[in-house]
Amino acid sequence: MEKIAFITDSASGFGIHEHPDVYVVPMGVVLNNQEYVDYIDIQTDEFYDKLQTYGDGAKTFQPSRQKFHETYQKIVDSGYTHVIAIHATQEMTGTYESSEMASREFDIESTVINSKIGDYPERRMIEEGVKAAEAGIPYEEIVQRIKDFTKDPVLMIYPKNLNQLKNSGRVSKSQGIIAGILNIQLILDFEDGKLYPIEKIRSKKKALSFIHGKLESRIEQDNPSKIGVSYAGEHSEADQLIAWLKERYPEKTIEKYPLVHVAGVHTGFGTIAIGWIKA
C-alpha cells in the first residue's frame, strides 16, 4: 500500500505542523544583519513588524542541502513509500535543486516538482495533493495532477517597496528608478516561473481598478474554486479586495493568508497578492 509524504518549503506558507504528511523545509530572511529561519526563529507578526523598520536591505536565504537530507531521512524512517516534493519557482530560488539532489540519496520513489510560483498557489498544489492521497488516488496520478497545476498558476502582486524590488533584482533598476520618480504603481505577475511587470499605472486608484479588471478576465478564464488573497502585515487593502471578490463571486471560496516571508522581503510591507490554481 502506498504511503505518500509531501515536502515543501516555507515559500508555500504551509505550516510546519499543519499536516502530518507534509514536511516543510523552512527558508530564511535577513533583517538588520540578523538571520531568522521562517516560523522557527521568527513568526509572521514579528517578521512584518521588523520589516517596516529594516525592509530596505533585507535579504532571503534558502535551506541548506543538509536540511533537505534530514527531511528525506525522517520520511524514510517514518515508513513512507513515496515522496512528492513541491517547491517554489526554480527560476527564483535554489530549493528545487537542493531537494532534487537530496532525493537521489535515498532508496524511496520520489518526484520533485517545480511549482513555477510560490505563496498561495504553491500551497494549493500541496493541499490538492494531500486530498488526492487521502482519497486513495495512486501516486503517479497525483504527480500528474500537480504537474498540470504548474502549467498556468496565477499570482498577481501589487508591491509596496519598489526600492527593495530593484535591489533584489526582481525588477530592473531602471524600472524601479522610473517608478519611484514618477510615483508609478507596478503590478507584477508570474509567467513560466518568472516575475514580470504587467502594468505601470500613475495612481493607486487606477491600479486597484486595473487589478479588478484583470482579475475578472482571469477568473472567468480559469474558473478556480478557491482564490487566495495574501497580505504583507497590513490588512485594510486585502480586506477591501476580499469584500469585492466575495460580492462579485459569492460561489467561490475566498481565503486570506499572510504573504510568505520570502516574498514580503522583496515586495515590502503592505503588499497584497492574489492567486489560485485551476482546481
Side-chain angles (χ1 to χ4, degrees):
M1 181 178 176
E2 294 180 347
K3 184 180 181 183
I4 302 172
F6 294 83
I7 297 177
T8 189
D9 47 62
S10 55
S12 68
F14 212 92
I16 290 177
H17 304 296
E18 190 169 338
H19 192 282
D21 295 329
V22 179
Y23 292 74
V24 180
V25 182
M27 303 168 81
V29 298
V30 181
L31 297 165
N32 195 29
N33 297 316
Q34 177 69 46
E35 291 189 355
Y36 301 91
V37 177
D38 286 347
Y39 313 120
I40 295 176
D41 299 329
I42 193 167
Q43 301 301 317
T44 297
D45 288 345
E46 181 187 2
F47 165 74
Y48 279 113
D49 284 344
K50 290 182 180 295
L51 190 68
Q52 289 187 82
T53 304
Y54 305 117
D56 288 342
K59 300 176 182 178
T60 61
F61 60 91
Q62 66 187 55
S64 67
R65 184 176 168 187
Q66 179 62 28
K67 291 295 183 183
F68 280 103
H69 180 95
E70 292 170 0
T71 301
Y72 279 92
Q73 186 66 66
K74 285 181 184 177
I75 287 170
V76 170
D77 292 345
S78 297
Y80 288 93
T81 60
H82 298 73
V83 180
I84 301 173
I86 306 166
H87 292 296
T89 175
Q90 183 181 4
E91 287 71 16
M92 295 174 68
T93 177
T95 56
Y96 170 90
E97 287 88 349
S98 295
S99 183
E100 205 277 332
M101 285 189 289
S103 72
R104 298 178 201 163
E105 299 170 3
F106 295 91
D107 186 19
I108 185 172
E109 188 165 355
S110 59
T111 302
V112 184
I113 298 173
N114 173 15
S115 73
K116 298 185 180 179
I117 206 137
D119 198 59
Y120 183 77
E122 184 184 352
R123 176 190 180 88
R124 286 286 294 121
M125 293 178 196
I126 300 157
E127 290 178 343
E128 289 297 314
V130 169
K131 183 171 72 173
E134 291 177 341
I137 293 172
Y139 169 79
E140 293 292 347
E141 186 175 337
I142 297 172
V143 167
Q144 188 56 55
R145 284 190 186 188
I146 296 170
K147 286 183 176 180
D148 288 343
F149 293 144
T150 70
K151 293 176 182 177
D152 46 14
V154 171
L155 186 62
M156 191 183 306
I157 302 174
Y158 182 22
K160 291 302 173 70
N161 190 330
L162 299 181
N163 285 332
Q164 186 61 10
L165 268 173
K166 176 187 66 178
N167 293 337
S168 70
R170 265 48 183 187
V171 298
S172 74
K173 290 188 177 182
S174 61
Q175 288 171 331
I177 291 169
I178 292 170
I181 293 172
L182 301 179
N183 194 29
I184 288 174
Q185 313 289 306
L186 290 181
I187 312 298
L188 309 177
D189 200 358
F190 275 85
E191 182 179 336
D192 199 27
K194 297 180 181 179
L195 194 59
Y196 295 97
I198 57 170
E199 194 67 25
K200 304 171 186 178
I201 301 172
R202 289 295 297 270
S203 74
K204 179 177 176 181
K205 183 177 180 180
K206 289 181 179 178
L208 293 174
S209 177
F210 172 84
I211 290 171
H212 287 173
K214 193 72 173 177
L215 287 174
E216 285 180 331
S217 63
R218 297 285 288 273
I219 291 170
E220 181 178 349
Q221 173 184 312
D222 292 353
N223 193 29
S225 61
K226 294 183 178 182
I227 299 169
V229 176
S230 302
Y231 65 97
E234 204 284 318
H235 293 257
S236 60
E237 285 190 4
D239 289 342
Q240 291 172 22
L241 183 57
I242 288 169
W244 177 82
L245 285 166
K246 286 183 175 180
E247 181 178 359
R248 184 74 177 79
Y249 304 102
E251 77 284 2
K252 299 189 183 299
T253 299
I254 312 298
E255 299 188 304
K256 178 183 176 184
Y257 286 97
L259 186 69
V260 296
H261 299 176
V262 293
V265 161
H266 297 298
T267 59
F269 184 90
T271 293
I272 55 174
I274 312 96
W276 62 81
I277 59 173
K278 288 184 180 180

